[in-house]
Amino acid sequence: MSRPSYCVLVLCFAVLLFGSLSSATDISFDGRGLKIDGERTLILSGSIHYPRSTPEMWLDLIKKAKEGGINAIETYVFWDAHEPVSRQYDFSGNLDLVRFIKTIQNEGLFAILRIGPYVCAEWNYGGFPVWLNNIQNITFRTNNEAFKHEMRNFTTFIVNMMKHENLFASQGGPIILAQIENEFGNVKNGYYGQDGKDYVQWCADLALSFDVGVPWIMCQQKDAPQPIIDTCNGFYCDGFTPNNENSPKMWTENWSGWFQDWGDRRPHRTVKDLAFAVGRFFQYGGSLMNYYMYHGGTNFGHTSGGPYITTSYDYDAPLDEYGNLQQPKWGHLRNLHLILLSVQKTLLYGYRRDIDYGNMMSATVYNYEGKCVAFLGNANESEDFTINFQDNNYTVPRWSVTVLPDCFTEVYNTAKINSQTSIMVNRPNQADDGSEPYKLQWVWRRETIEDIKKNGLVRDSVITTNKLLDHLSVTNDTSDYLWYMTRLDINPGDPFCDKTVTLYVHTYGHVLHAFVNSRFIGTQFAINGKYEFVFEKNVKLKPGTNDISLVSVTVGLQNYGDDIKDVPIGIHGPVQLIDYAANVTKDLSSNEWIYKVGIHGIKQQLNKVHTRHQHNWRAEALPTNRPFVWYKTTFPSPLGTDPVVVDLLGLGKGEAWVNGRSIGRYWPSRTAPKDGCPYKCDYNQPYTGHECATNCGKSTQRYYHIPREFLDDRENVLVLFEEFGGTPDDLTVQTVTVGTVCAHAYDNNNLQLSCQGGRVFTDIRFASFGDPEGTCGSFKRGTCEAPWALSYIQNNCLGRESCVIPVSEYYLGPTSCHSSEYRLAVEAVC
Ligand SMILES: *[C@@H]1O[C@H](CO)[C@@H](O)[C@H](O)[C@H]1NC(C)=O
Ligand SMILES: *[C@@H]1O[C@H](CO)[C@@H](O)[C@H](O)[C@H]1NC(C)=O
Ligand SMILES: *[C@@H]1O[C@H](CO)[C@@H](O)[C@H](O)[C@H]1NC(C)=O
Ligand SMILES: *[C@@H]1O[C@H](CO)[C@@H](O)[C@H](O)[C@H]1NC(C)=O
Ligand SMILES: *[C@@H]1O[C@H](CO)[C@@H](O)[C@H](O)[C@H]1NC(C)=O
Ligand SMILES: *[C@@H]1O[C@H](CO)[C@@H](O)[C@H](O)[C@H]1NC(C)=O
Ligand SMILES: CC(=O)N[C@H]1CO[C@H](CO)[C@@H](O)[C@@H]1O
């Protein structure tokens, strides 16, 4: 069968489609889709959260999304970041929402603004400012006057800001949709009863009152009042039907992967399964689909939610944490997007007919103005099917969708990947002469272990009371660290005197450190997904005054759940001394407790570059495995443009700053379980976020992103606060780039191969066109092969940054295979 060069046609189409937006666009919708100036338009959107990258990265990320066939960018708005103190706003740096939306507009893409203001998003406290807790009688996300007052105030502020900059499509801007609330339908059924229902109506009324001239959506909200569109979030949404026949079928979150917890495996969703989900959604009448995430990015500072969510928010998205193309995910989806966009008119206007072949095999045909598009969908988990469709035979592999843009030619199957696989490598930062990895020189300082002074007071304590207080109610989240300190006098006759007894602390985490008389006793954190734990360690009390200091540490505030305000954090008690042998207990819960927020080094700004406290750093006797230590070093910026990371393996837990900017919490000593990672993942079943995990037995996160924007041309200062104890000896600054490129492409496709960061192909390790076997790194020749494959690829790729290989006998030579479908396997080195 000779086939037209479909890919080239599709490319031209895409260029036409992405023309720049004209002023004042009319946005409306009906049951089949969103209408842009009256024309139904297919929306392929990708989530990029602006605070999870930097303004310099935005343009590159958006350009890569556009090149990947995405025509809209979606983001949440992060209330706690913008209003850290009530009525004091911050839109600077990577919080510059207007600049982000304008960058989208300048690239000719649409924008979807999900204002929330509850966003979940694995973001600290789901995006709620912690100061909300201090408002009298407040209950979040229900028909509560105090909450509604604050929600109205912030959402109005954001809407006015967007209007002022003319960013809604009705004003000529790129924003075509806006969202109020977020997954409220997931709040436990009936949790808020009638108040919940009234609240949903209030949200809808509020949104409509803004009169922004674009439609509003509510996701996971079956009872969204008209004309608000209820939309689907999930790994699959083909079976979703909106609550009104005049609402189009929209998928606001198609989870491209999943987030990671400290101590967990790294989630991975195969692109075959992701493309299958997208294919099915559009087979069954979808009109808007958004990847959550298209670029996940980094939880800088203390922005990660939780508890226990990692600093990396890579999400296994099509663009990796640092903004590199994640291949083959990016490329395989791009091929699908370009085809879908090229037939969008037929999909959104055509007459639809479904054909059921049984056993989960189906076809869907769309006809419009003489054009025909078909999807052949096989949702059977175990059987490939060959079906006869309009007098031709098509084999559709299990768990895959084939697209026939003309109801005849198979141009795409979700299980056949014709994009390169990139194997990323980390390269050490070279010394100036380029000869050897740069060796870091360290200085260090001790962090103060807070103690009670002779007069019974603590410097800068915030409160003294005879009970144990919730962590958050004392800190307002101004720091991760809260000291609970108490003093007890032990008489020589006391049964606890001079004896080894147990210090017992019941806490709601997230991490606890204990000191007795300024001596470190132990550290503990919750495991197995529970946030509550009991700390028990032996201590010895001396006659006279004894001081007990407990440091409660938060690792991200809960972002999901029914009422996150009522989630306990920190030491709620009891705190006891127990002599198990003698069966006696001394309860300290009602002792006098003195509270102090934060750590001394932050107050002295040791993490900043310019501060008065730059003395007292020591170069000699670098401590290892000692808790509560500061480390500092300098390093030159790596050459080139590849993303920069620091490898923190060897350290325990803490926070890192580069040139005074926090690159987030680190915890490389936390490892993933040894088991639960399949050797190979050929997944043909519904994905739930856990299958296909990788990184078993390894550090949850050893590499930490340093955006190039944080770096200076000359010298950079890296500061670490090490809380658990570790060694910085082996730390290295590295760049991340494409090392090896592999592909296993099918006949009659154009295969594009690319390096990154200006590097070129230096070697073709393997090339065979015919029936090669194996996977990247271990390809093997099959029983037959074309003669010119290797030389063709060498001639066209070596010395180049990228090259295109037409996969066909015409270019690569005749094969002697009797197989019906030839494949090209390539392994090339950058
Ligand atoms: C809080 O609730 C109490 C009891 O319902 C009420 O008396 C009080 O006026 C409320 N305070 C505010 C600020 O609304
Ligand atoms: C938000 O609250 C402040 C006072 O706290 C007020 O000045 C401002 O007008 C309010 N904004 C809106 C849109 O209600
Ligand atoms: C998949 O196909 C097999 C064989 O054709 C059939 O027995 C099985 O029921 C199918 N599975 C589903 C879920 O329909
Ligand atoms: C399709 O398959 C059937 C059954 O194997 C065969 O009889 C028929 O000739 C095939 N049709 C085409 C167009 O290849
Ligand atoms: C936390 O907020 C409360 C209420 O606004 C305030 O009284 C207290 O001083 C705050 N604590 C800290 C550590 O900022
Ligand atoms: C320990 O003491 C409590 C009461 O103080 C008593 O109920 C309990 O039985 C004792 N346990 C043992 C093992 O002696
Ligand atoms: C149709 C469909 O698969 N919908 C799913 C969308 O995601 C939610 C949340 O995971 C699921 O509950 C739905 O079943």
Side-chain angles (χ1 to χ4, degrees):
M1 205 176 348
S2 89
R3 299 169 189 181
S5 178
Y6 222 97
C7 297
V8 175
L9 281 179
V10 166
L11 257 177
C12 299
F13 239 104
V15 170
L16 286 177
L17 275 167
F18 292 136
S20 59
L21 298 173
S22 58
S23 59
T25 318
D26 176 62
I27 311 288
S28 59
F29 62 89
D30 63 15
R32 285 296 286 278
L34 205 60
K35 290 177 167 178
I36 310 231
D37 279 336
E39 187 89 0
R40 289 187 196 132
T41 306
L42 199 76
I43 304 295
L44 300 175
S45 170
S47 290
I48 299 177
H49 293 158
Y50 52 96
R52 285 177 157 145
S53 51
T54 61
E56 262 178 28
M57 291 172 71
W58 293 343
L59 180 61
D60 181 57
L61 297 172
I62 291 164
K63 275 181 186 293
K64 283 170 173 164
K66 180 177 174 179
E67 205 191 329
I70 292 293
N71 62 7
I73 302 294
E74 180 273 354
T75 185
Y76 280 129
V77 178
F78 298 86
W79 185 3
D80 62 329
H82 292 307
E83 197 177 347
V85 177
S86 178
R87 307 305 180 255
Q88 290 178 27
Y89 298 95
D90 185 358
F91 289 88
S92 65
N94 65 352
L95 297 176
D96 192 343
L97 176 60
V98 167
R99 176 169 164 188
F100 181 71
I101 303 286
K102 286 187 173 171
T103 309
I104 296 170
Q105 181 173 25
N106 289 339
E107 288 306 301
L109 302 191
F110 299 120
I112 299 172
L113 194 66
R114 300 214 283 164
I115 299 175
Y118 169 70
V119 298
C120 194
E122 288 72 66
W123 186 266
N124 197 50
Y125 222 35
F128 281 147
V130 172
W131 54 258
L132 287 177
N133 289 351
N134 297 326
I135 297 173
Q136 242 193 348
N137 295 352
I138 198 167
T139 307
F140 298 166
R141 303 177 74 201
T142 186
N143 196 21
N144 170 282
E145 290 310 319
F147 178 74
K148 289 191 298 184
H149 179 80
E150 292 301 321
M151 174 167 164
R152 181 195 284 116
N153 196 283
F154 180 71
T155 50
T156 305
F157 189 92
I158 294 297
V159 166
N160 287 346
M161 179 181 234
M162 297 295 107
K163 277 187 179 172
H164 183 257
E165 301 284 341
N166 293 320
L167 293 176
F168 288 104
S170 51
Q171 306 172 290
I175 302 172
I176 53 169
L177 277 181
Q179 179 180 299
I180 193 82
E181 246 296 335
N182 184 53
E183 294 193 338
F184 184 72
N186 286 5
V187 170
K188 213 188 302 163
N189 221 359
Y191 184 74
Y192 291 122
Q194 189 57 40
D195 275 346
K197 291 197 177 73
D198 292 346
Y199 170 66
V200 168
Q201 185 63 52
W202 177 84
C203 288
D205 293 343
L206 175 69
L208 297 173
S209 76
F210 289 141
D211 198 20
V212 296
V214 305
W216 285 87
I217 56 173
M218 282 185 164
C219 60
Q220 306 277 78
Q221 193 67 49
K222 265 293 155 207
D223 60 351
Q226 289 305 303
I228 310 273
I229 305 169
D230 73 313
T231 65
C232 182
N233 292 352
F235 289 110
Y236 308 90
C237 281
D238 49 286
F240 170 77
T241 325
N243 65 8
N244 186 295
E245 59 180 16
N246 293 321
S247 295
K249 178 168 171 172
M250 293 184 174
W251 188 1
T252 33
E253 293 189 10
N254 175 3
W255 301 324
S256 54
W258 202 239
F259 61 90
Q260 189 181 13
D261 286 336
W262 296 112
D264 212 348
R265 304 162 189 92
R266 189 164 306 150
H268 173 60
R269 185 180 191 186
T270 67
V271 68
K272 288 184 186 182
D273 179 53
L274 183 52
F276 167 77
V278 176
R280 291 215 27 113
F281 182 67
F282 287 105
Q283 171 175 1
Y284 290 113
S287 67
L288 174 150
M289 183 272 316
N290 174 61
Y291 293 103
Y292 187 98
M293 303 294 297
Y294 196 77
H295 170 256
T298 308
N299 293 316
F300 298 112
H302 294 189
T303 59
S304 74
Y308 302 120
I309 289 171
T310 55
T311 294
S312 169
Y313 196 63
D314 181 88
Y315 220 87
D316 197 32
L319 301 178
D320 74 12
E321 179 184 358
Y322 321 121
N324 300 311
L325 302 186
Q326 214 242 100
Q327 291 279 44
K329 206 169 234 181
W330 180 87
H332 190 51
L333 295 173
R334 171 183 190 266
N335 293 344
L336 177 57
H337 301 154
L338 297 187
I339 291 160
L340 291 170
L341 290 171
S342 74
V343 298
Q344 62 168 311
K345 210 157 186 172
T346 315
L347 297 184
L348 296 177
Y349 285 92
Y351 170 74
R352 174 177 143 195
R353 192 162 51 91
D354 295 322
I355 306 164
D356 188 3
Y357 291 85
N359 294 322
M360 303 296 278
M361 178 69 219
S362 64
T364 300
V365 186
Y366 289 88
N367 284 291
Y368 184 66
E369 290 185 339
K371 295 221 175 79
C372 179
V373 178
F375 294 85
L376 312 179
N378 182 355
N380 195 295
E381 297 169 11
S382 52
E383 298 290 327
D384 303 346
F385 291 119
T386 299
I387 56 155
N388 190 276
F389 172 76
Q390 300 192 352
D391 296 332
N392 282 291
N393 293 336
Y394 298 89
T395 299
V396 187
R398 69 198 72 174
W399 206 253
S400 81
V401 176
T402 293
V403 189
L404 314 176
D406 55 1
C407 280
F408 174 67
T409 320
E410 174 178 338
V411 300
Y412 189 88
N413 174 274
T414 57
K416 295 180 184 172
I417 298 175
N418 292 303
S419 306
Q420 76 179 36
T421 296
S422 300
I423 315 272
M424 307 307 284
V425 290
N426 288 18
R427 295 176 198 262
N429 195 8
Q430 303 291 305
D432 284 346
D433 62 6
S435 61
E436 61 193 77
Y438 189 86
K439 179 82 184 139
L440 300 173
Q441 305 293 325
W442 293 93
V443 293
W444 69 282
R445 275 180 69 148
R446 242 180 264 245
E447 168 60 30
T448 310
I449 306 302
E450 299 294 345
D451 55 6
I452 302 175
K453 306 295 171 214
K454 282 222 172 63
N455 59 7
L457 300 177
V458 170
R459 194 175 37 178
D460 300 328
S461 66
V462 292
I463 187 169
T464 301
T465 182
N466 283 80
K467 59 181 178 188
L468 292 163
L469 298 174
D470 183 76
H471 183 122
L472 203 54
S473 71
V474 182
T475 65
N476 301 329
D477 206 29
T478 50
S479 167
D480 281 357
Y481 301 91
L482 176 62
W483 298 76
Y484 292 71
M485 305 164 79
T486 196
R487 168 164 282 184
L488 68 160
D489 286 315
I490 300 282
N491 301 321
D494 192 293
F496 286 88
C497 186
D498 243 343
K499 201 163 172 199
T500 301
V501 295
T502 301
L503 172 64
Y504 174 105
V505 183
H506 176 236
T507 181
Y508 290 93
H510 310 146
V511 171
L512 184 78
H513 304 286
F515 299 87
V516 172
N517 297 325
S518 297
R519 222 171 58 87
F520 176 71
I521 299 299
T523 289
Q524 198 171 318
F525 48 85
I527 51 170
N528 299 333
K530 285 207 200 136
Y531 310 144
E532 182 183 353
F533 62 92
V534 167
F535 172 97
E536 282 192 292
K537 281 271 156 52
N538 287 342
V539 298
K540 202 164 183 179
L541 302 178
K542 61 182 201 277
T545 305
N546 289 271
D547 291 332
I548 297 180
S549 295
L550 305 173
V551 190
S552 167
V553 187
T554 48
V555 190
L557 302 185
Q558 189 155 326
N559 55 273
Y560 184 77
D562 288 336
D563 194 352
I564 55 177
K565 196 163 81 60
D566 296 338
V567 174
I569 304 176
I571 304 164
H572 284 227
V575 176
Q576 296 172 326
L577 290 166
I578 305 173
D579 184 343
Y580 279 112
N583 193 19
V584 280
T585 296
K586 198 188 275 287
D587 197 287
L588 309 179
S589 309
S590 315
N591 262 34
E592 181 179 87
W593 289 92
I594 307 177
Y595 293 84
K596 176 168 179 166
V597 176
I599 49 175
H600 198 62
I602 292 288
K603 194 156 181 264
Q604 290 189 312
Q605 302 193 318
L606 299 185
N607 54 333
K608 299 289 177 202
V609 181
H610 304 290
T611 121
R612 289 181 291 115
H613 300 274
Q614 283 314 330
H615 48 293
N616 293 340
W617 287 92
R618 299 168 56 184
E620 75 287 1
L622 195 72
T624 58
N625 297 323
R626 182 148 117 199
F628 284 60
V629 175
W630 289 82
Y631 295 106
K632 182 162 84 165
T633 190
T634 58
F635 67 93
S637 293
L639 299 173
T641 57
D642 283 323
V644 179
V645 296
V646 57
D647 179 358
L648 295 184
L649 201 65
L651 289 176
K653 175 189 178 293
E655 184 169 353
W657 294 264
V658 172
N659 297 332
R661 301 170 79 168
S662 174
I663 60 170
R665 298 187 186 95
Y666 68 78
W667 197 345
S669 62
R670 195 83 174 91
T671 54
K674 287 202 173 58
D675 56 349
C677 296
Y679 165 69
K680 183 165 177 258
C681 197
D682 202 8
Y683 200 70
N684 301 311
Q685 289 167 57
Y687 178 70
T688 66
H690 309 291
E691 306 80 3
C692 298
T694 62
N695 207 44
C696 280
K698 296 190 181 143
S699 166
T700 309
Q701 189 186 344
R702 64 182 281 188
Y703 301 108
Y704 295 80
H705 186 203
I706 307 175
R708 287 228 173 233
E709 215 156 326
F710 287 13
L711 296 176
D712 275 336
D713 286 344
R714 281 168 294 142
E715 195 178 68
N716 302 286
V717 180
L718 170 65
V719 177
L720 309 167
F721 170 60
E722 173 55 50
E723 181 189 322
F724 279 23
T727 166
D729 271 347
D730 297 328
L731 290 205
T732 48
V733 174
Q734 305 172 352
T735 56
V736 184
T737 193
V738 176
T740 308
V741 166
C742 287
H744 204 161
Y746 290 79
D747 198 5
N748 283 305
N749 278 285
N750 282 328
L751 171 66
Q752 169 145 15
L753 299 179
S754 299
C755 292
Q756 181 180 298
R759 256 177 299 276
V760 299
F761 288 107
T762 55
D763 187 20
I764 309 297
R765 280 206 195 125
F766 183 93
S768 177
F769 180 53
D771 56 355
E773 299 284 340
T775 54
C776 191
S778 60
F779 283 130
K780 286 190 187 61
R781 278 163 224 298
T783 56
C784 58
E785 72 181 345
W788 313 324
L790 182 62
S791 60
Y792 185 92
I793 294 168
Q794 284 172 335
N795 290 341
N796 287 278
C797 300
L798 285 181
R800 301 217 170 113
E801 264 182 79
S802 81
C803 54
V804 177
I805 304 156
V807 184
S808 75
E809 286 188 295
Y810 182 84
Y811 293 96
L812 306 179
T815 69
S816 52
C817 310
H818 297 293
S819 140
S820 57
E821 205 167 29
Y822 313 136
R823 285 166 287 119
L824 170 68
V826 191
E827 184 179 335
V829 183
C830 292

